[in-house]
Amino acid sequence: MAVISEVYSDEGVGVLYRTTNAAAASGEWQPLHAFPAKEAVRALTEVQPTESSQAFFRLVLHEMSVHSDMVWVPPGQFQLGSPYDEAERYADEGPQQLKVIPVGFWVHKYEVTQAEYIELMGNNPSFGYNSEAGELAANLPVDSVTWEEAKEYCRRLNKQELEANRVPPGYEYRLPTEAEWEYVARAGTTGAYSFGESDQVVHLGEFGWWRENSGETPMPVGQLAPNPWGLYDIHGNVFEWCLDDYNAYEEGGFVAFSGADYKVIRGGSFYCPATILRSACRIEPQISDFRNWLTGLRVFLAPKQ
């Protein structure tokens, strides 16, 4: 069954709630899906049948706003991974499989900067941080962040934004799953990169910082063109942590190793060749004390995990 979220307002956040008891108290209604009221036309979501014989839904308009740098992306579906004929692909990128993103969520248009990280965490782990560089250094993406530190940054940001009434019910600031990251990186495209259907790298330097155009150093965020959904540096600059464990996409799929000791970074970096910046490319670092000078993070405001 499809539910169209109809909210007649250009302000606020609409939240779709569900319960199995029509007489349930307000605390028993579970939030399923949140979206900016002005995006109601694109906020179509599928309601899946459950074991219960009945379910009830209601739509509530909350007088709140999400931080202005957070970009809302609608529900949808896409092919996770790369096709077998994609140039320079790696074996762990397949087999391709259809992934459904059932509800919309928000993603920050920029990678977390050193200034933002210092403000929230009180320190700067970045390799080669130069305090004399002033505003330039402040706008560089933070790097050398461990997975646990990235999670802690999200936790503190969530607390801050909750206190400011900018977190919709049922949502939280967190790292993305691999599927969520690739969904927004592709932004509706199916080629190796999000700036078109061609696998050629001739235009890569217009959208991402990589070995050929960065001078092998990170660059201030937001200097190049964004992907089709308005996200900057989704290709290159610094790698971005994902939430889930590094595992094969399906039983029988290839991974050299797997398990909870390994998390995934995505997107490539300023030091990488073009193939690492592809939308489907997966890099699997060890989680324990892993501090890589090429790795930062981007925050998502998505359903609680």
Side-chain angles (χ1 to χ4, degrees):
M1 177 176 67
V3 172
I4 296 204
S5 304
E6 296 181 352
V7 177
Y8 301 102
S9 174
D10 286 335
E11 299 180 355
V13 173
V15 179
L16 181 67
Y17 293 85
R18 176 188 180 277
T19 186
T20 57
N21 178 10
S26 59
E28 299 176 58
W29 287 83
Q30 300 300 312
L32 297 179
H33 176 39
F35 55 93
K38 64 182 180 181
E39 297 286 1
V41 173
R42 297 199 298 154
L44 178 69
T45 183
E46 294 287 333
V47 176
Q48 300 297 328
T50 65
E51 296 179 0
S52 173
S53 60
Q54 61 183 4
F56 302 89
F57 300 87
R58 71 180 183 184
L59 191 60
V60 178
L61 179 62
H62 291 263
E63 294 183 359
M64 64 183 304
S65 61
V66 170
H67 193 283
S68 59
D69 282 340
M70 300 299 293
V71 176
W72 184 77
V73 297
Q77 60 185 30
F78 75 108
Q79 290 289 337
L80 176 71
S82 61
Y84 289 113
D85 61 353
E86 185 166 300
E88 299 186 87
R89 73 185 293 273
Y90 296 103
D92 65 351
E93 297 170 19
Q96 273 193 306
Q97 56 186 274
L98 181 68
K99 280 289 184 180
V100 175
I101 305 298
V103 300
F105 55 87
W106 288 261
V107 55
H108 205 293
K109 65 173 65 175
Y110 307 119
E111 294 167 329
V112 174
T113 66
Q114 294 183 17
E116 290 169 332
Y117 193 90
I118 292 170
E119 181 178 5
L120 207 55
M121 301 290 282
N123 65 85
N124 186 2
S126 301
F127 177 85
Y129 173 68
N130 183 355
S131 60
E132 296 180 358
E135 185 177 349
L136 176 63
N139 288 327
L140 291 174
V142 68
D143 64 72
S144 306
V145 179
T146 69
W147 184 77
E148 292 290 354
E149 289 170 344
K151 284 182 59 180
E152 175 62 15
Y153 179 89
C154 292
R155 187 194 68 79
R156 295 189 189 188
L157 180 62
N158 195 63
K159 180 177 183 295
Q160 171 185 286
E161 295 301 285
L162 271 171
E163 292 173 352
N165 190 35
R166 291 198 292 254
V167 178
Y171 281 59
E172 65 181 352
Y173 277 90
R174 60 170 171 82
L175 299 177
T177 65
E178 276 201 87
E180 289 167 343
W181 189 94
E182 190 168 324
Y183 178 61
V184 302
R186 289 189 176 280
T189 63
T190 59
Y193 307 96
S194 67
F195 48 80
E197 301 308 312
S198 171
D199 290 350
Q200 296 180 358
V201 300
V202 62
H203 296 297
L204 182 55
E206 299 172 24
F207 296 85
W209 298 109
W210 61 300
R211 181 178 294 173
E212 296 299 319
N213 70 338
S214 70
E216 298 187 356
T217 185
M219 302 297 287
V221 302
Q223 301 298 298
L224 301 177
N227 81 348
W229 286 354
L231 306 179
Y232 295 84
D233 302 310
I234 205 76
H235 301 295
N237 218 5
V238 293
F239 282 106
E240 300 172 11
W241 281 111
C242 290
L243 183 63
D244 34 6
D245 300 341
Y246 174 66
N247 289 307
Y249 282 157
E250 63 179 39
E251 186 174 353
F254 174 82
V255 284
F257 45 82
S258 64
D261 287 339
Y262 298 91
K263 306 297 179 182
V264 182
I265 53 178
R266 290 290 206 116
S269 80
F270 61 88
Y271 197 71
C272 293
T275 185
I276 305 298
L277 276 66
R278 293 174 301 108
S279 298
C281 186
R282 313 170 73 196
I283 303 295
E284 68 296 336
Q286 188 171 355
I287 177 178
S288 301
D289 299 322
F290 187 85
R291 190 179 299 281
N292 186 332
W293 66 299
L294 304 177
T295 304
L297 73 150
R298 186 187 302 265
V299 295
F300 283 50
L301 178 57
K304 293 180 179 179
Q305 291 289 299

